[in-house]
Amino acid sequence: MAEQTSLAFSVGLTGGIGCGKTTVADMFAALGASVIDTDVIAHSLTAPHGAAMPALLAEFGEDFATKDGALDRAKMRALVFTDASARSRLEAILHPRIRDATAAAAAIATGDYVIFVVPLLIESGTWRERVTRVLAIDCSEEIQVARVMARSSISEEQVRAIMAAQVSREQRRAQADDIIVNDDGLDALRPQVEALHAMYLAQARK
């Protein structure tokens, strides 16, 4: 997988929950980048009749499926946040399949360069070697909490628990090659995206 994605210029886009990763990725896509979102891939793998579902149900039991045969994400989320071994077992099933799917998508990408959207890029320990540059989307923790609560029916305590399970804002910034600050809305975001796109385009064409 590493050799397949490192042949061309690529960016790993990451950020904590509520930082605006999808918004930024959509802007890059509009400018001509090929965007491959690992969350989208993970959702397809765990959808009804998804490729990972037989292995997941064999490992965790049939009661982790919804009535339509998808992964019960709320139930799985509750389990892995309290049981580290369950998280490891989940990742052992999903991560190889996500790697294979991202490699397949990258192989047929037609954009000027590839952006992989990887929420847990820093945590994974393997993505850093598979991309040319790491781009972190950053915002204050208060904004993260407000955004997630506005879009999801979860409490502030739950949001902060998710944030606590991710690397800290400082760690993410320290390991990034590039940082986009998303505290002030789309008008402040767009010039940052356009400037980085110009830089990425120049590097991709070398």
Side-chain angles (χ1 to χ4, degrees):
M1 169 66 190
E3 291 83 9
Q4 286 174 288
T5 56
S6 61
L7 291 175
F9 182 85
S10 61
V11 177
L13 187 159
T14 192
I17 187 171
C19 282
K21 295 180 294 294
T22 301
T23 300
V24 172
D26 288 347
M27 287 184 173
F28 277 108
L31 293 170
S34 287
V35 172
I36 299 169
D37 191 326
T38 59
D39 260 2
V40 172
I41 291 170
H43 274 73
S44 77
L45 289 170
T46 57
H49 313 297
M53 286 307 298
L56 289 169
L57 298 185
E59 179 65 35
F60 293 100
E62 297 289 333
D63 54 338
F64 277 85
T66 61
K67 288 180 181 178
D68 62 359
L71 179 67
D72 187 331
R73 293 187 181 90
K75 187 169 186 174
M76 182 62 74
R77 190 182 305 118
L79 175 66
V80 300
F81 273 122
T82 57
D83 184 341
S85 68
R87 178 188 289 271
S88 297
R89 286 152 52 209
L90 175 66
E91 291 174 348
I93 293 169
L94 287 182
H95 285 187
R97 290 169 171 83
I98 292 171
R99 279 197 297 273
D100 290 346
T102 56
I108 59 172
T110 57
D112 296 315
Y113 54 91
V114 176
I115 288 184
F116 297 99
V117 182
V118 189
L120 301 181
L121 184 147
I122 307 299
E123 294 88 335
S124 75
T126 60
W127 269 100
R128 188 63 189 86
E129 290 73 38
R130 295 162 58 195
V131 294
T132 316
R133 296 184 75 82
V134 169
L135 167 60
I137 315 305
D138 184 56
C139 69
S140 73
E141 292 186 357
E142 290 70 25
I143 290 176
Q144 283 182 263
V145 171
R147 284 178 180 155
V148 177
M149 289 180 66
R151 77 185 186 204
S152 309
S153 56
I154 59 177
S155 68
E156 177 175 349
E157 183 181 18
Q158 288 173 303
V159 178
R160 292 195 180 275
I162 294 170
M163 290 165 61
Q166 300 177 339
V167 296
S168 70
R169 182 183 180 188
E170 292 73 21
Q171 288 172 298
R172 196 178 292 113
R173 289 178 64 96
Q175 295 200 40
D177 299 298
D178 308 303
I179 297 170
I180 283 178
V181 178
N182 186 21
D183 281 336
D184 299 314
L186 296 179
D187 288 343
L189 201 55
R190 198 165 284 111
Q192 298 179 78
V193 172
E194 290 171 349
L196 278 179
H197 171 69
M199 185 183 83
Y200 293 158
L201 199 55
Q203 295 193 33
R205 289 175 174 173
K206 283 183 180 178

